[in-house]
Amino acid sequence: MSGASFADHEVGRVERAGARMSALIEEVRVLPEGAAPHWLLGQAETALGELTG
C-alpha cells in the first residue's frame, strides 16, 4: 500500500469510527432515564469531538 493509499485508508477508518460512535450516541439518547450512567453521553460526545476534530 502506498503512502497516499494508507493515508486515505486511515482517514476512512476514522470517519467510519466517528459514524459508528455517532450512531451509538443517538441510541443512548433515546434510552429510558437511568438506563445508562449519567456521565456516559457527555464523555462519548467529547470523545467523538476529539476523534472528528
Side-chain angles (χ1 to χ4, degrees):
M1 183 179 299
S2 73
S5 295
F6 180 76
D8 289 344
H9 171 75
E10 288 302 302
V11 168
R13 211 171 121 201
V14 170
E15 290 172 348
R16 289 188 303 276
R20 285 192 306 269
M21 195 166 196
S22 291
L24 290 171
I25 287 171
E26 290 307 311
E27 287 184 34
V28 170
R29 285 186 201 281
V30 298
L31 290 174
E33 189 164 334
H38 68 280
W39 50 264
L40 180 66
L41 191 55
Q43 286 192 357
E45 290 171 332
T46 298
L48 180 60
E50 291 174 4
L51 179 68
T52 59

Coordinates of all heavy atoms in Angstrom, one line a residue:
M1 N 0.9 -1.2 0.0 CA 0.0 0.0 0.0 C 0.9 1.2 0.0 O 1.8 1.3 0.8 CB -0.9 -0.1 1.2 CG -1.9 1.1 1.3 SD -3.0 1.0 2.8 CE -3.8 -0.5 2.6
S2 N 0.6 2.1 -0.9 CA 1.5 3.4 -1.0 C 1.1 4.3 0.2 O 0.1 4.1 0.9 CB 1.2 4.1 -2.3 OG -0.1 4.7 -2.3
G3 N 2.0 5.3 0.4 CA 1.7 6.2 1.5 C 0.4 6.9 1.4 O -0.3 7.1 2.3
A4 N 0.0 7.3 0.1 CA -1.2 8.0 -0.1 C -2.4 7.1 0.2 O -3.4 7.5 0.8 CB -1.3 8.6 -1.5
S5 N -2.3 5.9 -0.3 CA -3.4 4.9 -0.1 C -3.5 4.6 1.4 O -4.7 4.5 1.9 CB -3.1 3.6 -0.8 OG -3.0 3.8 -2.2
F6 N -2.4 4.5 2.1 CA -2.5 4.2 3.5 C -3.2 5.4 4.3 O -4.0 5.2 5.1 CB -1.1 4.0 4.1 CG -1.1 3.8 5.6 CD1 -1.5 2.5 6.1 CD2 -0.7 4.7 6.5 CE1 -1.6 2.3 7.5 CE2 -0.8 4.5 7.8 CZ -1.2 3.3 8.3
A7 N -2.8 6.6 3.9 CA -3.4 7.8 4.5 C -4.9 7.9 4.2 O -5.7 8.2 5.1 CB -2.7 9.1 4.0
D8 N -5.3 7.6 3.0 CA -6.7 7.6 2.7 C -7.5 6.5 3.5 O -8.6 6.7 4.0 CB -7.0 7.3 1.2 CG -6.6 8.5 0.3 OD1 -6.4 9.6 0.9 OD2 -6.4 8.3 -0.9
H9 N -6.8 5.3 3.6 CA -7.4 4.2 4.4 C -7.6 4.7 5.8 O -8.7 4.4 6.4 CB -6.5 3.0 4.3 CG -6.9 1.9 5.2 ND1 -7.9 1.1 5.0 CD2 -6.3 1.5 6.4 CE1 -8.0 0.2 5.9 NE2 -7.1 0.4 6.8
E10 N -6.6 5.3 6.4 CA -6.7 5.7 7.8 C -7.8 6.8 8.0 O -8.5 6.8 9.0 CB -5.3 6.2 8.3 CG -4.3 5.1 8.5 CD -4.8 4.0 9.5 OE1 -5.1 4.4 10.7 OE2 -4.9 2.9 9.1
V11 N -7.9 7.7 7.1 CA -8.9 8.8 7.2 C -10.3 8.1 7.1 O -11.2 8.4 7.9 CB -8.7 9.8 6.1 CG1 -10.0 10.7 6.0 CG2 -7.5 10.7 6.3
G12 N -10.4 7.2 6.2 CA -11.7 6.5 6.1 C -12.0 5.7 7.3 O -13.2 5.6 7.8
R13 N -11.0 5.1 8.0 CA -11.2 4.4 9.2 C -11.7 5.3 10.3 O -12.6 5.0 11.1 CB -9.9 3.8 9.6 CG -10.0 2.5 10.3 CD -8.6 1.9 10.5 NE -8.4 1.7 11.9 CZ -7.3 1.6 12.5 NH1 -6.2 1.6 11.8 NH2 -7.2 1.4 13.8
V14 N -11.1 6.5 10.4 CA -11.6 7.5 11.4 C -13.0 7.9 11.2 O -13.8 8.0 12.1 CB -10.6 8.7 11.5 CG1 -11.2 9.8 12.4 CG2 -9.2 8.2 12.0
E15 N -13.3 8.2 9.9 CA -14.7 8.6 9.5 C -15.7 7.5 9.9 O -16.8 7.8 10.4 CB -14.7 9.0 8.1 CG -14.0 10.2 7.7 CD -13.9 10.5 6.3 OE1 -14.2 9.6 5.4 OE2 -13.5 11.6 5.9
R16 N -15.3 6.3 9.6 CA -16.3 5.1 9.9 C -16.4 5.0 11.4 O -17.6 4.8 11.9 CB -15.8 3.8 9.3 CG -15.9 3.8 7.8 CD -15.6 2.4 7.2 NE -14.3 1.9 7.5 CZ -13.2 2.2 6.9 NH1 -13.2 3.0 5.8 NH2 -12.0 1.7 7.2
A17 N -15.4 5.2 12.1 CA -15.4 5.1 13.6 C -16.3 6.2 14.1 O -17.1 6.0 15.1 CB -14.0 5.1 14.2
G18 N -16.1 7.4 13.6 CA -17.0 8.5 14.0 C -18.4 8.3 13.7 O -19.3 8.6 14.6
A19 N -18.7 7.7 12.6 CA -20.1 7.4 12.2 C -20.7 6.4 13.2 O -21.9 6.5 13.6 CB -20.2 7.0 10.8
R20 N -20.0 5.4 13.5 CA -20.4 4.3 14.4 C -20.7 4.9 15.8 O -21.7 4.7 16.5 CB -19.5 3.2 14.5 CG -19.5 2.3 13.3 CD -18.7 1.0 13.5 NE -17.4 1.2 14.0 CZ -16.3 1.3 13.2 NH1 -16.4 1.2 11.9 NH2 -15.1 1.4 13.7
M21 N -19.7 5.8 16.2 CA -19.9 6.4 17.5 C -21.1 7.3 17.6 O -21.8 7.4 18.6 CB -18.6 7.2 17.9 CG -18.4 7.5 19.3 SD -16.7 8.0 19.6 CE -16.7 7.9 21.3
S22 N -21.3 8.1 16.5 CA -22.5 9.0 16.5 C -23.8 8.1 16.6 O -24.7 8.5 17.3 CB -22.5 9.7 15.1 OG -21.5 10.7 15.1
A23 N -23.8 7.0 15.9 CA -25.0 6.1 16.0 C -25.2 5.6 17.4 O -26.3 5.6 17.9 CB -24.9 5.0 15.0
L24 N -24.1 5.3 18.0 CA -24.2 4.8 19.4 C -24.7 5.9 20.4 O -25.5 5.7 21.3 CB -22.9 4.2 19.9 CG -22.5 2.9 19.3 CD1 -21.1 2.5 19.7 CD2 -23.5 1.8 19.7
I25 N -24.2 7.1 20.2 CA -24.6 8.2 21.0 C -26.1 8.4 20.8 O -26.9 8.7 21.8 CB -23.8 9.5 20.6 CG1 -22.4 9.4 21.2 CG2 -24.5 10.7 21.2 CD1 -21.5 10.4 20.7
E26 N -26.6 8.4 19.6 CA -28.1 8.5 19.3 C -28.9 7.4 20.0 O -29.9 7.7 20.6 CB -28.4 8.6 17.8 CG -27.9 9.8 17.2 CD -28.4 11.1 17.8 OE1 -29.6 11.2 18.1 OE2 -27.5 12.0 18.1
E27 N -28.4 6.2 20.1 CA -29.0 5.1 20.8 C -29.1 5.4 22.3 O -30.1 5.2 22.9 CB -28.3 3.8 20.5 CG -28.6 3.3 19.1 CD -28.0 1.9 19.0 OE1 -27.9 1.1 19.9 OE2 -27.5 1.6 17.8
V28 N -28.0 6.0 22.8 CA -28.0 6.3 24.3 C -29.0 7.4 24.6 O -29.7 7.4 25.6 CB -26.6 6.7 24.7 CG1 -26.6 7.2 26.1 CG2 -25.7 5.5 24.7
R29 N -29.1 8.4 23.7 CA -30.1 9.5 23.9 C -31.5 9.0 24.1 O -32.3 9.7 24.8 CB -30.0 10.4 22.7 CG -28.8 11.3 22.6 CD -29.0 12.3 21.5 NE -27.8 12.8 21.0 CZ -27.1 13.8 21.6 NH1 -27.6 14.3 22.7 NH2 -26.0 14.3 21.1
V30 N -31.9 7.9 23.4 CA -33.3 7.5 23.5 C -33.6 6.4 24.6 O -34.7 6.0 24.7 CB -33.8 7.0 22.1 CG1 -33.7 8.1 21.1 CG2 -33.0 5.8 21.6
L31 N -32.5 6.0 25.3 CA -32.7 5.1 26.4 C -33.6 5.7 27.5 O -33.5 6.9 27.7 CB -31.4 4.6 26.9 CG -30.5 3.8 26.1 CD1 -29.2 3.5 26.7 CD2 -31.2 2.4 25.8
P32 N -34.3 4.9 28.2 CA -35.0 5.4 29.3 C -34.1 6.0 30.4 O -32.9 5.6 30.5 CB -35.7 4.2 29.9 CG -35.7 3.2 28.8 CD -34.5 3.5 28.0
E33 N -34.5 7.1 31.1 CA -33.6 7.7 32.1 C -33.2 6.7 33.1 O -34.0 5.8 33.5 CB -34.4 8.8 32.8 CG -33.5 9.6 33.7 CD -34.1 10.9 34.0 OE1 -34.9 11.5 33.3 OE2 -33.7 11.4 35.1
G34 N -31.9 6.7 33.4 CA -31.3 5.8 34.3 C -30.8 4.5 33.7 O -30.2 3.7 34.4
A35 N -31.1 4.3 32.4 CA -30.6 3.1 31.8 C -29.1 3.1 31.5 O -28.5 2.0 31.3 CB -31.4 2.8 30.5
A36 N -28.5 4.2 31.4 CA -27.1 4.4 31.2 C -26.5 5.3 32.2 O -27.3 6.2 32.7 CB -26.9 5.0 29.8
P37 N -25.3 5.1 32.6 CA -24.7 6.1 33.6 C -24.8 7.5 33.1 O -24.7 7.8 31.9 CB -23.2 5.6 33.6 CG -23.2 4.3 33.0 CD -24.3 4.2 32.1
H38 N -25.0 8.4 34.0 CA -25.3 9.8 33.7 C -24.1 10.5 32.9 O -24.2 11.4 32.2 CB -25.6 10.6 34.9 CG -24.5 10.8 35.9 ND1 -24.2 9.8 36.7 CD2 -23.6 11.8 36.1 CE1 -23.1 10.2 37.5 NE2 -22.8 11.4 37.1
W39 N -22.9 10.0 33.2 CA -21.7 10.6 32.6 C -21.4 10.1 31.2 O -20.6 10.7 30.5 CB -20.5 10.3 33.5 CG -20.3 8.9 33.8 CD1 -20.8 8.3 35.0 CD2 -19.8 7.8 33.0 NE1 -20.5 6.9 35.0 CE2 -19.9 6.6 33.8 CE3 -19.2 7.8 31.8 CZ2 -19.5 5.4 33.3 CZ3 -18.7 6.5 31.3 CH2 -18.9 5.4 32.1
L40 N -22.0 9.0 30.8 CA -21.7 8.3 29.5 C -21.9 9.2 28.3 O -21.0 9.3 27.5 CB -22.5 7.1 29.4 CG -22.3 6.3 28.1 CD1 -20.9 5.7 28.1 CD2 -23.3 5.2 28.0
L41 N -23.0 9.9 28.2 CA -23.3 10.7 27.0 C -22.3 11.8 26.8 O -21.7 12.1 25.8 CB -24.7 11.2 27.0 CG -25.2 11.8 25.8 CD1 -25.1 10.9 24.6 CD2 -26.7 12.3 26.0
G42 N -22.0 12.6 27.9 CA -21.1 13.7 27.8 C -19.7 13.2 27.4 O -19.0 13.9 26.6
Q43 N -19.2 12.1 28.0 CA -17.9 11.6 27.7 C -17.8 11.1 26.2 O -16.9 11.3 25.5 CB -17.4 10.6 28.6 CG -17.1 11.1 30.0 CD -16.3 10.1 30.9 OE1 -16.2 9.0 30.5 NE2 -15.9 10.6 32.0
A44 N -18.9 10.5 25.8 CA -18.9 10.0 24.4 C -18.9 11.1 23.4 O -18.2 11.1 22.4 CB -20.2 9.1 24.2
E45 N -19.7 12.2 23.7 CA -19.7 13.3 22.8 C -18.3 14.0 22.8 O -17.9 14.5 21.7 CB -20.8 14.3 23.2 CG -22.2 13.8 23.0 CD -23.3 14.6 23.6 OE1 -23.1 15.3 24.6 OE2 -24.4 14.6 23.0
T46 N -17.7 14.1 23.9 CA -16.3 14.7 24.0 C -15.4 13.9 23.1 O -14.6 14.4 22.3 CB -15.8 14.8 25.4 OG1 -16.7 15.7 26.1 CG2 -14.4 15.3 25.5
A47 N -15.4 12.6 23.3 CA -14.5 11.7 22.6 C -14.8 11.8 21.1 O -13.8 11.8 20.3 CB -14.7 10.2 23.0
L48 N -16.0 11.9 20.7 CA -16.4 12.0 19.2 C -15.8 13.3 18.7 O -15.3 13.3 17.6 CB -17.9 11.9 19.0 CG -18.4 12.1 17.6 CD1 -17.8 11.0 16.7 CD2 -19.9 12.1 17.6
G49 N -15.9 14.4 19.5 CA -15.4 15.7 19.0 C -13.9 15.6 18.8 O -13.4 16.2 17.9
E50 N -13.2 14.9 19.7 CA -11.8 14.8 19.6 C -11.4 13.9 18.4 O -10.4 14.2 17.7 CB -11.2 14.2 20.9 CG -11.2 15.2 22.0 CD -10.8 14.6 23.3 OE1 -10.3 13.4 23.4 OE2 -10.9 15.3 24.3
L51 N -12.2 12.9 18.1 CA -11.9 12.0 17.0 C -12.1 12.6 15.7 O -11.3 12.5 14.8 CB -12.8 10.7 17.2 CG -12.7 9.7 16.1 CD1 -11.4 9.0 16.1 CD2 -13.9 8.7 16.2
T52 N -13.2 13.4 15.6 CA -13.5 14.0 14.3 C -13.0 15.4 14.1 O -13.1 16.0 13.1 CB -15.1 14.0 14.1 OG1 -15.7 14.8 15.2 CG2 -15.6 12.6 14.1
G53 N -12.4 16.0 15.2 CA -11.7 17.3 15.1 C -12.7 18.4 14.8 O -12.6 19.4 14.4

